């Protein structure tokens, strides 16, 4: 049996001890007000029954509304995670609840790949209408982001007759075998799972703050595009063997990194030149989160396939692969399918959610996101350990570094994240040392101020 450092010690990263709770491997000491008694008891029960997972602090939710969460001990916390960028309309939005209740009394599931149903058709029509203008689009519904990526990989191979896929370092595309083979974010996500899908290659993402191999930041776009054309294509991966390039328009799990200008457009050009499909993984950046419907729209780039999930279901599990019609229509009936995709309940809610994104949430993400970004940048201006606050809309990251070397300081980011929790603010980290802010797209200006204030208090408390 595989040896595991945590076996017999803890079922996750978080443990409850006789003295209370503590993050493993962290040198920082915190006040003991959270977790409360009920949360501690539930964490202990969870540790007895769940497989090891990556819980980062002991939030045990009791109920939630809008951007607020109450834990099982009655503590109110402000939610700048939205359950990892999922709850676009916030917790328990009355419009979504109304639609869900109505649909629950009509039907929930009727196998969308075998039978027809109107909620699925309406959600697909709405989604197709919200795609970048120009081509006609076709939709395949999935249950998650990783499944949308699997469908995208399969369609790209099928439609081009080619095998290879190029993704990027620091990318996150999911945990099933195809998507994991593209994921290149953290070694622990791959360790123990090899061999992965053959025919996957990685190139450098045009990260303007951390250009690859310490190259010139002024030329990061050219450096990264040249690597594909002059190194990958000329050595290991001939362009006519490549089915697709898969890119996050903003890297999510990799650190909320906005690529340098021109990078996405450059990839589009490479794809056009060599008959390669461009797949945008909009699982985290899509559905209004960045202030536009899709992250690619900030760069005026139209991909061939978009993978969506997270925000799309308004809190219910739903993903989608949306492809240009001429690509998608190459599949034969039965080429691909699933059981739950096109579920009546999730699709009815998704239709309402998409309507809300179109009507108000996207604009709110742009406006309140700009405000939150400015407030966080004010905080950062007094903290040399925060090297940059970056992002688009309500997808914002604050990167923590060692000020002397400029190197990422992941322990500090972890400590600030946990202190935020103790100050009543829910955030998550991403990348090597970034705290991400991905609240519901319903966030108000006043709530944005409260997020920035609690963050500032937490940063001060840790430093
Ligand atoms: C960009 C991106 N793609 C794919 C995924 C995988 O989605 P899921 O966890 O729903 O499988 C994620 C999840 O965080 C993501 O951020």
């Amino acid at each position: 049996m595989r040896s595991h450092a945590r076996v017999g010690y803890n079922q996750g990263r978080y443990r409850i001890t006789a003295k209370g709770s503590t993050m493993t491997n962290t040198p920082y000491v915190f006040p003991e007000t959270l977790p409360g008694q009920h949360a501690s008891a539930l964490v202990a029960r969870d540790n007895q029954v769940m497989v090891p997972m990556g819980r980062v602090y002991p939030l045990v939710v009791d109920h939630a509304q809008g951007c607020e969460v109450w834990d099982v001990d009655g503590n109110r916390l402000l939610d700048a995670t939205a359950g990892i960028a999922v709850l676009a309309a916030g917790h328990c939005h009355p419009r979504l609840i109304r639609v869900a209740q109505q649909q629950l009394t009509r039907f929930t599931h009727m196998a969308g790949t075998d039978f027809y149903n109107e909620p699925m058709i309406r959600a697909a029509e709405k989604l197709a209408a919200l795609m970048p203008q120009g081509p006609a689009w076709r939709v395949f519904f999935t249950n998650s982001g990783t499944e949308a990526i699997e469908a995208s990989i399969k369609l790209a191979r099928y439609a081009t007759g080619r095998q290879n896929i190029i993704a990027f370092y620091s990318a996150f595309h999911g945990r099933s075998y195809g998507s994991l083979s593209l994921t290149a974010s953290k070694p622990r996500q791959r360790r123990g799972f090899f061999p992965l899908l053959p025919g996957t290659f990685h190139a450098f993402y045009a990260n303007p703050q951390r250009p690859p191999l310490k190259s010139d930041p002024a030329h990061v776009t050219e450096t990264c595009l040249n690597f594909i054309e002059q190194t990958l294509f000329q050595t290991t991966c001939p362009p006519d063997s490549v089915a697709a390039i898969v890119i996050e328009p903003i890297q999510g799990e990799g650190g909320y990194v906005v690529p340098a200008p021109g990078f996405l457009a450059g990839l589009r050009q490479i794809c056009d030149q060599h008959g390669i499909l461009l797949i945008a993984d909009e699982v985290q950046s899509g559905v209004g989160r960045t202030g536009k419907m899709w992250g690619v729209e900030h760069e005026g780039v139209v991909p061939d396939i978009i993978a969506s999930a997270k925000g799309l279901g308004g809190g219910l599990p739903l993903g989608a692969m949306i492809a240009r019609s001429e690509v998608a229509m190459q599949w034969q009936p039965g080429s691909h399918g699933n059981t739950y995709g096109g579920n009546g309940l999730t699709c009815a809610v998704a239709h309402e959610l998409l309507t809300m994104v179109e009507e108000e949430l996207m604009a709110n993400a742009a406006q309140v996101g700009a405000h939150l970004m400015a407030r966080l940048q004010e905080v950062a201006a007094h903290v040399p350990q925060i090297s940059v606050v970056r992002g688009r809309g309500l997808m914002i990251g604050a990167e923590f570094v060692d000020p002397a070397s400029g190197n990422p300081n992941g322990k500090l980011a972890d400590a600030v994240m946990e202190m935020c929790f103790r100050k009543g603010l829910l955030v998550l980290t991403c990348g090597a040392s970034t705290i991400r802010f991905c609240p519901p797209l319903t966030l108000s200006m006043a709530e944005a101020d409260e997020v920035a204030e609690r963050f500032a208090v937490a940063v001060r408390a840790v430093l």
Side-chain angles (χ1 to χ4, degrees):
M1 192 188 173
R2 180 187 303 281
S3 74
H4 193 295
R6 288 198 298 251
V7 166
Y9 161 65
N10 174 25
Q11 286 290 314
R13 187 168 165 217
Y14 204 84
R15 67 182 166 137
I16 301 293
T17 68
K19 283 185 165 173
S21 59
T22 175
M23 285 269 285
T24 55
N25 306 327
T26 170
Y28 297 93
V29 178
F30 298 101
E32 293 282 335
T33 50
L34 285 170
Q37 198 186 343
H38 293 102
S40 296
L42 285 164
V43 170
R45 278 171 59 193
D46 180 290
N47 283 349
Q48 295 304 312
V49 68
M50 301 297 292
V51 301
M53 286 186 272
R55 274 68 166 278
V56 288
Y57 47 80
L59 169 73
V60 185
V61 61
D62 180 75
H63 63 282
Q65 183 65 55
C67 299
E68 294 170 303
V69 170
W70 283 264
D71 78 357
V72 286
D73 294 290
N75 298 299
R76 168 191 174 270
L77 300 110
L78 195 55
D79 185 6
T81 73
I84 326 187
V86 166
L87 297 148
H91 295 271
C92 300
H93 196 287
R95 274 178 71 171
L96 300 189
I97 290 175
R98 197 166 42 247
V99 168
Q101 281 173 337
Q102 282 166 1
Q103 188 57 43
L104 270 169
T105 59
R106 295 173 71 86
F107 77 95
T108 53
H109 171 78
M110 202 49 215
T113 57
D114 283 325
F115 304 105
Y116 301 90
N117 75 70
E118 191 174 357
M120 174 172 73
I121 297 164
R122 289 181 77 219
E125 285 169 346
K126 183 59 122 181
L127 202 45
L130 289 168
M131 292 300 286
Q133 290 301 306
W137 299 91
R138 295 272 172 165
V139 178
F140 175 77
F141 283 116
T142 69
N143 308 289
S144 64
T146 197
E147 201 197 331
I149 294 292
E150 298 295 337
S152 305
I153 294 172
K154 285 180 70 178
L155 178 60
R157 282 184 164 180
Y158 194 96
T160 60
R162 300 173 178 185
Q163 186 177 0
N164 292 337
I165 313 277
I166 298 175
F168 294 87
Y169 292 115
S170 299
F172 187 88
H173 298 292
R175 309 266 196 164
S176 49
Y177 262 99
S179 65
L180 179 63
S181 308
L182 305 179
T183 289
S185 173
K186 296 192 175 100
R188 68 167 180 254
Q189 293 157 351
R190 296 175 143 227
R191 186 175 289 122
F193 299 122
F194 295 100
L196 303 180
L197 189 72
T200 49
F201 293 79
H202 287 87
F204 294 107
Y205 195 83
N207 180 337
Q209 280 85 40
R210 297 192 181 278
L213 309 175
K214 299 204 162 77
S215 57
D216 181 357
H219 298 113
V220 62
T221 294
E222 295 92 306
T223 306
C224 294
L225 295 174
N226 286 346
F227 176 81
I228 296 174
E229 295 208 280
Q230 291 167 19
T231 302
L232 272 189
F233 286 174
Q234 303 299 326
T235 57
T236 52
C237 182
D240 57 6
S241 70
V242 180
I245 296 179
V246 184
I247 179 97
E248 291 164 275
I250 297 180
Q251 278 192 334
E253 168 66 21
Y256 275 28
V257 179
V258 181
F263 184 54
L264 295 178
L267 292 177
R268 178 72 269 179
Q269 256 178 12
I270 291 176
C271 287
D272 290 344
Q273 194 182 337
H274 298 288
I276 298 168
L277 299 177
L278 184 64
I279 301 175
D281 180 346
E282 296 265 13
V283 167
Q284 191 151 175
S285 56
V287 192
R289 176 146 297 281
T290 66
K292 293 188 187 286
M293 184 65 195
W294 307 108
V296 283
E297 291 175 296
H298 291 276
E299 296 280 327
V301 168
V302 181
D304 301 293
I305 301 176
I306 284 185
S308 176
K310 288 195 184 277
L312 184 60
L316 298 182
L318 180 66
M321 182 205 68
I322 313 117
R324 281 179 191 263
S325 198
E326 72 266 22
V327 177
M329 291 308 281
Q330 296 194 37
W331 264 350
Q332 300 301 307
S335 288
H336 192 58
N338 60 13
T339 297
Y340 288 114
N343 176 276
L345 178 63
T346 53
C347 284
V349 170
H351 180 273
E352 188 71 3
L353 184 277
L354 289 168
T355 307
M356 292 173 67
V357 169
E358 191 182 17
E359 285 173 0
E360 52 182 319
L361 297 182
M362 196 162 31
N364 193 63
Q367 201 187 1
V368 180
H371 179 70
L372 178 59
M373 172 94 83
R375 291 298 314 272
L376 293 171
Q377 280 168 343
E378 282 168 25
V379 176
H382 304 286
V383 182
Q385 288 86 350
I386 302 178
S387 59
V388 63
V389 178
R390 62 187 169 219
R392 281 186 166 135
L394 283 170
M395 187 170 182
I396 303 176
E399 189 179 82
F400 283 81
V401 295
D402 169 13
S405 65
N407 290 334
N409 188 340
K411 283 198 167 156
L412 180 56
D414 282 348
V416 171
M417 170 181 67
E418 168 131 0
M419 186 57 86
C420 283
F421 170 58
R422 300 193 179 287
K423 302 297 179 192
L425 173 65
L426 302 177
V427 290
L428 286 167
T429 55
C430 57
S433 64
T434 297
I435 291 212
R436 64 175 123 174
F437 299 85
C438 49
L441 309 186
T442 52
L443 193 78
S444 68
M445 289 289 189
E447 285 167 333
D449 288 338
E450 193 179 342
V451 169
E453 278 153 28
R454 289 187 185 214
F455 176 64
V457 167
V459 170
R460 274 200 299 276
V462 170
L463 293 176

